[in-house]
Amino acid sequence: MLVSAKEMLEKAREGKYAVGQFNINNLEWTKSILLTAQEMNSPVILGVSEGAGKYMTGFKTVAAMVDAMVDSLGITVPVALHLDHGTYEGCYKCIEAGFSSIMFDGSHYPIEENIEKTKELVKLCSEKGLSLEAEVGSIGGEEDGVVGMGECADPDECKSIADLGVTMLAAGIGNIHGKYPANWPGLSFETLAAVKEKVGNMPLVLHGGTGIPADMIQKAISLGVAKINVNTECQLSFADATRKYIEAGKDLEGKGFDPRKLLAPGSEAIKETVREKITLFGSANKA
Ligand code: 13P
């Protein structure tokens, strides 16, 4: 059964660790992440962007697949199925499709409109027992064609959104989706501390988890980050392992072209990435 992310994130915040959100793109991704979370006895959040949802033929397909896979693989650790960077309309579609957690990304709206829309979703999600993530201050880089400049969030705006009763808050602190440029100045811990000061105990979310140095991850967790999103790193390790398989000519040996064989090295590589992240975030044995 899929669960809301509320309880796992509150426990993470109390226990000073973070739960990983790993984005899924297909069946292989989902299977690798679920099996690794189970192996490490860690709670896990499966993130689905609107683009990935469309690729997988719609949110209903995704919810049905994940729900059935949790059951058929005998997964007993807590699993939340979460819409990543949802539009207002996308949030409603995912709620209807059976997601257990939603992110409404209203960061590109004027703050009043972000507040208005978030308020409506808080009401609906609390009626249905779903967790809700809101965003203030856009995350840099590109995701699904949306380019953000990575501005830092205004702590007072964070408080206005947190006070609406969302479950967790993503505040921009100089983090970027995708690879970090060589001249990246690092996370703004000053902003993070100021946001934490305003929002108190609210679990904070760090997007752009790929490529952030371990010491910055640990410091962010010590300042209230309880959920860390990882997408690009799984994509890179999948692509790298697949390329090596093909370059070694393994797809031409025997039945190496069988998609189940062709996709196996990439799926194993994702497991290794997820193991590393769960270890770094400290969520192993916290299920
Ligand atoms: P990365 O792709 O940089 O790991 O970021 C993922 C993310 O934040 C998804 O919302």
PDB file of all heavy atoms in Angstrom, residues 169-197:
ATOM      1  N   LEU A 169       8.222  21.691   2.651  1.00  0.00           N
ATOM      2  CA  LEU A 169       8.448  22.887   1.851  1.00  0.00           C
ATOM      3  C   LEU A 169       9.790  22.821   1.123  1.00  0.00           C
ATOM      4  O   LEU A 169      10.829  22.568   1.739  1.00  0.00           O
ATOM      5  CB  LEU A 169       8.434  24.111   2.772  1.00  0.00           C
ATOM      6  CG  LEU A 169       8.596  25.448   2.072  1.00  0.00           C
ATOM      7  CD1 LEU A 169       7.332  25.816   1.297  1.00  0.00           C
ATOM      8  CD2 LEU A 169       8.918  26.536   3.086  1.00  0.00           C
ATOM      9  N   ALA A 170       9.729  23.041  -0.206  1.00  0.00           N
ATOM     10  CA  ALA A 170      10.958  23.141  -0.995  1.00  0.00           C
ATOM     11  C   ALA A 170      11.288  24.621  -1.126  1.00  0.00           C
ATOM     12  O   ALA A 170      10.517  25.385  -1.698  1.00  0.00           O
ATOM     13  CB  ALA A 170      10.733  22.535  -2.380  1.00  0.00           C
ATOM     14  N   ALA A 171      12.405  25.011  -0.550  1.00  0.00           N
ATOM     15  CA  ALA A 171      12.823  26.410  -0.630  1.00  0.00           C
ATOM     16  C   ALA A 171      14.099  26.467  -1.465  1.00  0.00           C
ATOM     17  O   ALA A 171      15.038  25.710  -1.203  1.00  0.00           O
ATOM     18  CB  ALA A 171      13.084  26.952   0.774  1.00  0.00           C
ATOM     19  N   GLY A 172      14.114  27.334  -2.467  1.00  0.00           N
ATOM     20  CA  GLY A 172      15.318  27.469  -3.292  1.00  0.00           C
ATOM     21  C   GLY A 172      16.455  28.031  -2.455  1.00  0.00           C
ATOM     22  O   GLY A 172      16.311  29.066  -1.790  1.00  0.00           O
ATOM     23  N   ILE A 173      17.586  27.324  -2.433  1.00  0.00           N
ATOM     24  CA  ILE A 173      18.753  27.814  -1.677  1.00  0.00           C
ATOM     25  C   ILE A 173      20.011  27.738  -2.562  1.00  0.00           C
ATOM     26  O   ILE A 173      21.098  27.416  -2.091  1.00  0.00           O
ATOM     27  CB  ILE A 173      18.956  27.036  -0.341  1.00  0.00           C
ATOM     28  CG1 ILE A 173      19.056  25.511  -0.580  1.00  0.00           C
ATOM     29  CG2 ILE A 173      17.849  27.340   0.637  1.00  0.00           C
ATOM     30  CD1 ILE A 173      19.602  24.759   0.640  1.00  0.00           C
ATOM     31  N   GLY A 174      19.802  28.036  -3.852  1.00  0.00           N
ATOM     32  CA  GLY A 174      20.936  27.993  -4.794  1.00  0.00           C
ATOM     33  C   GLY A 174      21.123  26.611  -5.396  1.00  0.00           C
ATOM     34  O   GLY A 174      22.126  26.369  -6.074  1.00  0.00           O
ATOM     35  N   ASN A 175      20.187  25.707  -5.162  1.00  0.00           N
ATOM     36  CA  ASN A 175      20.288  24.350  -5.734  1.00  0.00           C
ATOM     37  C   ASN A 175      19.789  24.350  -7.183  1.00  0.00           C
ATOM     38  O   ASN A 175      18.946  25.156  -7.559  1.00  0.00           O
ATOM     39  CB  ASN A 175      19.523  23.321  -4.872  1.00  0.00           C
ATOM     40  CG  ASN A 175      18.235  23.830  -4.293  1.00  0.00           C
ATOM     41  OD1 ASN A 175      18.044  25.026  -4.106  1.00  0.00           O
ATOM     42  ND2 ASN A 175      17.321  22.940  -4.026  1.00  0.00           N
ATOM     43  N   ILE A 176      20.320  23.421  -7.955  1.00  0.00           N
ATOM     44  CA  ILE A 176      20.063  23.381  -9.396  1.00  0.00           C
ATOM     45  C   ILE A 176      19.755  21.945  -9.817  1.00  0.00           C
ATOM     46  O   ILE A 176      20.426  21.011  -9.381  1.00  0.00           O
ATOM     47  CB  ILE A 176      21.321  23.885 -10.163  1.00  0.00           C
ATOM     48  CG1 ILE A 176      21.622  25.342  -9.806  1.00  0.00           C
ATOM     49  CG2 ILE A 176      21.154  23.729 -11.669  1.00  0.00           C
ATOM     50  CD1 ILE A 176      22.894  25.877 -10.429  1.00  0.00           C
ATOM     51  N   HIS A 177      18.768  21.773 -10.670  1.00  0.00           N
ATOM     52  CA  HIS A 177      18.497  20.447 -11.240  1.00  0.00           C
ATOM     53  C   HIS A 177      19.589  20.108 -12.262  1.00  0.00           C
ATOM     54  O   HIS A 177      20.043  20.976 -12.987  1.00  0.00           O
ATOM     55  CB  HIS A 177      17.153  20.438 -11.974  1.00  0.00           C
ATOM     56  CG  HIS A 177      15.969  20.498 -11.057  1.00  0.00           C
ATOM     57  ND1 HIS A 177      14.968  21.422 -11.200  1.00  0.00           N
ATOM     58  CD2 HIS A 177      15.621  19.737  -9.997  1.00  0.00           C
ATOM     59  CE1 HIS A 177      14.040  21.224 -10.272  1.00  0.00           C
ATOM     60  NE2 HIS A 177      14.417  20.208  -9.523  1.00  0.00           N
ATOM     61  N   GLY A 178      19.940  18.860 -12.336  1.00  0.00           N
ATOM     62  CA  GLY A 178      20.950  18.441 -13.322  1.00  0.00           C
ATOM     63  C   GLY A 178      22.353  18.640 -12.766  1.00  0.00           C
ATOM     64  O   GLY A 178      22.544  18.774 -11.559  1.00  0.00           O
ATOM     65  N   LYS A 179      23.332  18.663 -13.667  1.00  0.00           N
ATOM     66  CA  LYS A 179      24.724  18.774 -13.222  1.00  0.00           C
ATOM     67  C   LYS A 179      25.012  20.201 -12.744  1.00  0.00           C
ATOM     68  O   LYS A 179      24.531  21.161 -13.343  1.00  0.00           O
ATOM     69  CB  LYS A 179      25.665  18.446 -14.379  1.00  0.00           C
ATOM     70  CG  LYS A 179      25.662  16.989 -14.781  1.00  0.00           C
ATOM     71  CD  LYS A 179      26.684  16.799 -15.896  1.00  0.00           C
ATOM     72  CE  LYS A 179      26.681  15.389 -16.415  1.00  0.00           C
ATOM     73  NZ  LYS A 179      27.522  15.245 -17.604  1.00  0.00           N
ATOM     74  N   TYR A 180      25.821  20.332 -11.710  1.00  0.00           N
ATOM     75  CA  TYR A 180      26.200  21.659 -11.225  1.00  0.00           C
ATOM     76  C   TYR A 180      27.337  22.206 -12.073  1.00  0.00           C
ATOM     77  O   TYR A 180      28.285  21.481 -12.375  1.00  0.00           O
ATOM     78  CB  TYR A 180      26.610  21.589  -9.743  1.00  0.00           C
ATOM     79  CG  TYR A 180      25.390  21.467  -8.860  1.00  0.00           C
ATOM     80  CD1 TYR A 180      24.822  20.226  -8.597  1.00  0.00           C
ATOM     81  CD2 TYR A 180      24.766  22.596  -8.353  1.00  0.00           C
ATOM     82  CE1 TYR A 180      23.664  20.113  -7.841  1.00  0.00           C
ATOM     83  CE2 TYR A 180      23.615  22.493  -7.588  1.00  0.00           C
ATOM     84  CZ  TYR A 180      23.072  21.252  -7.336  1.00  0.00           C
ATOM     85  OH  TYR A 180      21.922  21.148  -6.599  1.00  0.00           O
ATOM     86  N   PRO A 181      27.256  23.482 -12.459  1.00  0.00           N
ATOM     87  CA  PRO A 181      28.365  24.052 -13.241  1.00  0.00           C
ATOM     88  C   PRO A 181      29.617  24.190 -12.371  1.00  0.00           C
ATOM     89  O   PRO A 181      29.520  24.261 -11.142  1.00  0.00           O
ATOM     90  CB  PRO A 181      27.821  25.428 -13.649  1.00  0.00           C
ATOM     91  CG  PRO A 181      26.732  25.741 -12.697  1.00  0.00           C
ATOM     92  CD  PRO A 181      26.181  24.440 -12.192  1.00  0.00           C
ATOM     93  N   ALA A 182      30.787  24.227 -13.012  1.00  0.00           N
ATOM     94  CA  ALA A 182      32.055  24.283 -12.279  1.00  0.00           C
ATOM     95  C   ALA A 182      32.125  25.512 -11.376  1.00  0.00           C
ATOM     96  O   ALA A 182      32.735  25.473 -10.305  1.00  0.00           O
ATOM     97  CB  ALA A 182      33.203  24.290 -13.272  1.00  0.00           C
ATOM     98  N   ASN A 183      31.459  26.591 -11.785  1.00  0.00           N
ATOM     99  CA  ASN A 183      31.543  27.823 -10.974  1.00  0.00           C
ATOM    100  C   ASN A 183      30.363  27.970 -10.001  1.00  0.00           C
ATOM    101  O   ASN A 183      30.076  29.059  -9.516  1.00  0.00           O
ATOM    102  CB  ASN A 183      31.619  29.053 -11.890  1.00  0.00           C
ATOM    103  CG  ASN A 183      30.382  29.174 -12.769  1.00  0.00           C
ATOM    104  OD1 ASN A 183      29.532  28.271 -12.790  1.00  0.00           O
ATOM    105  ND2 ASN A 183      30.245  30.268 -13.493  1.00  0.00           N
ATOM    106  N   TRP A 184      29.677  26.868  -9.705  1.00  0.00           N
ATOM    107  CA  TRP A 184      28.536  26.919  -8.769  1.00  0.00           C
ATOM    108  C   TRP A 184      29.028  27.355  -7.381  1.00  0.00           C
ATOM    109  O   TRP A 184      29.974  26.759  -6.844  1.00  0.00           O
ATOM    110  CB  TRP A 184      27.900  25.527  -8.682  1.00  0.00           C
ATOM    111  CG  TRP A 184      26.744  25.438  -7.739  1.00  0.00           C
ATOM    112  CD1 TRP A 184      25.633  26.207  -7.722  1.00  0.00           C
ATOM    113  CD2 TRP A 184      26.592  24.493  -6.662  1.00  0.00           C
ATOM    114  NE1 TRP A 184      24.785  25.805  -6.717  1.00  0.00           N
ATOM    115  CE2 TRP A 184      25.351  24.761  -6.044  1.00  0.00           C
ATOM    116  CE3 TRP A 184      27.382  23.451  -6.163  1.00  0.00           C
ATOM    117  CZ2 TRP A 184      24.882  24.020  -4.949  1.00  0.00           C
ATOM    118  CZ3 TRP A 184      26.920  22.714  -5.079  1.00  0.00           C
ATOM    119  CH2 TRP A 184      25.684  23.003  -4.487  1.00  0.00           C
ATOM    120  N   PRO A 185      28.396  28.370  -6.800  1.00  0.00           N
ATOM    121  CA  PRO A 185      28.908  28.851  -5.503  1.00  0.00           C
ATOM    122  C   PRO A 185      28.537  27.963  -4.313  1.00  0.00           C
ATOM    123  O   PRO A 185      28.973  28.225  -3.196  1.00  0.00           O
ATOM    124  CB  PRO A 185      28.259  30.235  -5.366  1.00  0.00           C
ATOM    125  CG  PRO A 185      27.062  30.212  -6.253  1.00  0.00           C
ATOM    126  CD  PRO A 185      27.318  29.212  -7.331  1.00  0.00           C
ATOM    127  N   GLY A 186      27.726  26.934  -4.520  1.00  0.00           N
ATOM    128  CA  GLY A 186      27.348  26.063  -3.390  1.00  0.00           C
ATOM    129  C   GLY A 186      25.991  26.453  -2.830  1.00  0.00           C
ATOM    130  O   GLY A 186      25.388  27.450  -3.251  1.00  0.00           O
ATOM    131  N   LEU A 187      25.495  25.663  -1.886  1.00  0.00           N
ATOM    132  CA  LEU A 187      24.188  25.946  -1.287  1.00  0.00           C
ATOM    133  C   LEU A 187      24.295  27.172  -0.392  1.00  0.00           C
ATOM    134  O   LEU A 187      25.336  27.387   0.247  1.00  0.00           O
ATOM    135  CB  LEU A 187      23.718  24.751  -0.445  1.00  0.00           C
ATOM    136  CG  LEU A 187      23.472  23.441  -1.194  1.00  0.00           C
ATOM    137  CD1 LEU A 187      23.111  22.333  -0.212  1.00  0.00           C
ATOM    138  CD2 LEU A 187      22.371  23.597  -2.242  1.00  0.00           C
ATOM    139  N   SER A 188      23.219  27.939  -0.316  1.00  0.00           N
ATOM    140  CA  SER A 188      23.208  29.092   0.590  1.00  0.00           C
ATOM    141  C   SER A 188      22.670  28.646   1.951  1.00  0.00           C
ATOM    142  O   SER A 188      21.455  28.597   2.174  1.00  0.00           O
ATOM    143  CB  SER A 188      22.339  30.214   0.019  1.00  0.00           C
ATOM    144  OG  SER A 188      22.150  31.193   1.022  1.00  0.00           O
ATOM    145  N   PHE A 189      23.586  28.310   2.848  1.00  0.00           N
ATOM    146  CA  PHE A 189      23.157  27.867   4.188  1.00  0.00           C
ATOM    147  C   PHE A 189      22.585  29.025   4.992  1.00  0.00           C
ATOM    148  O   PHE A 189      21.803  28.819   5.915  1.00  0.00           O
ATOM    149  CB  PHE A 189      24.331  27.197   4.915  1.00  0.00           C
ATOM    150  CG  PHE A 189      24.701  25.891   4.281  1.00  0.00           C
ATOM    151  CD1 PHE A 189      25.881  25.734   3.598  1.00  0.00           C
ATOM    152  CD2 PHE A 189      23.813  24.812   4.327  1.00  0.00           C
ATOM    153  CE1 PHE A 189      26.194  24.541   2.980  1.00  0.00           C
ATOM    154  CE2 PHE A 189      24.119  23.608   3.710  1.00  0.00           C
ATOM    155  CZ  PHE A 189      25.317  23.473   3.035  1.00  0.00           C
ATOM    156  N   GLU A 190      22.975  30.220   4.610  1.00  0.00           N
ATOM    157  CA  GLU A 190      22.422  31.408   5.249  1.00  0.00           C
ATOM    158  C   GLU A 190      20.916  31.458   4.989  1.00  0.00           C
ATOM    159  O   GLU A 190      20.116  31.671   5.904  1.00  0.00           O
ATOM    160  CB  GLU A 190      23.105  32.619   4.601  1.00  0.00           C
ATOM    161  CG  GLU A 190      23.182  33.814   5.467  1.00  0.00           C
ATOM    162  CD  GLU A 190      23.794  34.987   4.695  1.00  0.00           C
ATOM    163  OE1 GLU A 190      24.198  34.842   3.514  1.00  0.00           O
ATOM    164  OE2 GLU A 190      23.829  36.057   5.306  1.00  0.00           O
ATOM    165  N   THR A 191      20.539  31.234   3.709  1.00  0.00           N
ATOM    166  CA  THR A 191      19.108  31.224   3.362  1.00  0.00           C
ATOM    167  C   THR A 191      18.415  30.075   4.072  1.00  0.00           C
ATOM    168  O   THR A 191      17.327  30.257   4.646  1.00  0.00           O
ATOM    169  CB  THR A 191      18.916  31.067   1.832  1.00  0.00           C
ATOM    170  OG1 THR A 191      19.677  32.061   1.170  1.00  0.00           O
ATOM    171  CG2 THR A 191      17.459  31.157   1.436  1.00  0.00           C
ATOM    172  N   LEU A 192      19.037  28.894   4.062  1.00  0.00           N
ATOM    173  CA  LEU A 192      18.406  27.725   4.686  1.00  0.00           C
ATOM    174  C   LEU A 192      18.149  27.979   6.181  1.00  0.00           C
ATOM    175  O   LEU A 192      17.058  27.700   6.689  1.00  0.00           O
ATOM    176  CB  LEU A 192      19.294  26.484   4.479  1.00  0.00           C
ATOM    177  CG  LEU A 192      18.754  25.166   5.005  1.00  0.00           C
ATOM    178  CD1 LEU A 192      17.374  24.843   4.446  1.00  0.00           C
ATOM    179  CD2 LEU A 192      19.723  24.012   4.682  1.00  0.00           C
ATOM    180  N   ALA A 193      19.145  28.544   6.858  1.00  0.00           N
ATOM    181  CA  ALA A 193      18.990  28.814   8.295  1.00  0.00           C
ATOM    182  C   ALA A 193      17.883  29.854   8.522  1.00  0.00           C
ATOM    183  O   ALA A 193      17.080  29.728   9.459  1.00  0.00           O
ATOM    184  CB  ALA A 193      20.317  29.292   8.884  1.00  0.00           C
ATOM    185  N   ALA A 194      17.808  30.854   7.645  1.00  0.00           N
ATOM    186  CA  ALA A 194      16.784  31.902   7.803  1.00  0.00           C
ATOM    187  C   ALA A 194      15.392  31.321   7.548  1.00  0.00           C
ATOM    188  O   ALA A 194      14.421  31.670   8.243  1.00  0.00           O
ATOM    189  CB  ALA A 194      17.067  33.045   6.828  1.00  0.00           C
ATOM    190  N   VAL A 195      15.284  30.400   6.581  1.00  0.00           N
ATOM    191  CA  VAL A 195      13.990  29.762   6.288  1.00  0.00           C
ATOM    192  C   VAL A 195      13.592  28.907   7.488  1.00  0.00           C
ATOM    193  O   VAL A 195      12.449  28.961   7.973  1.00  0.00           O
ATOM    194  CB  VAL A 195      14.087  28.894   5.003  1.00  0.00           C
ATOM    195  CG1 VAL A 195      12.856  28.016   4.830  1.00  0.00           C
ATOM    196  CG2 VAL A 195      14.282  29.782   3.775  1.00  0.00           C
ATOM    197  N   LYS A 196      14.534  28.132   7.996  1.00  0.00           N
ATOM    198  CA  LYS A 196      14.251  27.234   9.135  1.00  0.00           C
ATOM    199  C   LYS A 196      13.765  28.039  10.338  1.00  0.00           C
ATOM    200  O   LYS A 196      12.822  27.657  11.041  1.00  0.00           O
ATOM    201  CB  LYS A 196      15.529  26.445   9.469  1.00  0.00           C
ATOM    202  CG  LYS A 196      15.544  25.761  10.792  1.00  0.00           C
ATOM    203  CD  LYS A 196      15.616  24.259  10.647  1.00  0.00           C
ATOM    204  CE  LYS A 196      15.442  23.547  11.957  1.00  0.00           C
ATOM    205  NZ  LYS A 196      14.062  23.289  12.300  1.00  0.00           N
ATOM    206  N   GLU A 197      14.403  29.157  10.571  1.00  0.00           N
ATOM    207  CA  GLU A 197      14.051  30.060  11.672  1.00  0.00           C
ATOM    208  C   GLU A 197      12.570  30.470  11.570  1.00  0.00           C
ATOM    209  O   GLU A 197      11.848  30.526  12.552  1.00  0.00           O
ATOM    210  CB  GLU A 197      14.982  31.281  11.536  1.00  0.00           C
ATOM    211  CG  GLU A 197      14.701  32.435  12.441  1.00  0.00           C
ATOM    212  CD  GLU A 197      15.315  32.248  13.810  1.00  0.00           C
ATOM    213  OE1 GLU A 197      16.299  31.492  13.890  1.00  0.00           O
ATOM    214  OE2 GLU A 197      14.786  32.827  14.774  1.00  0.00           O
TER     215      GLU A 197
END
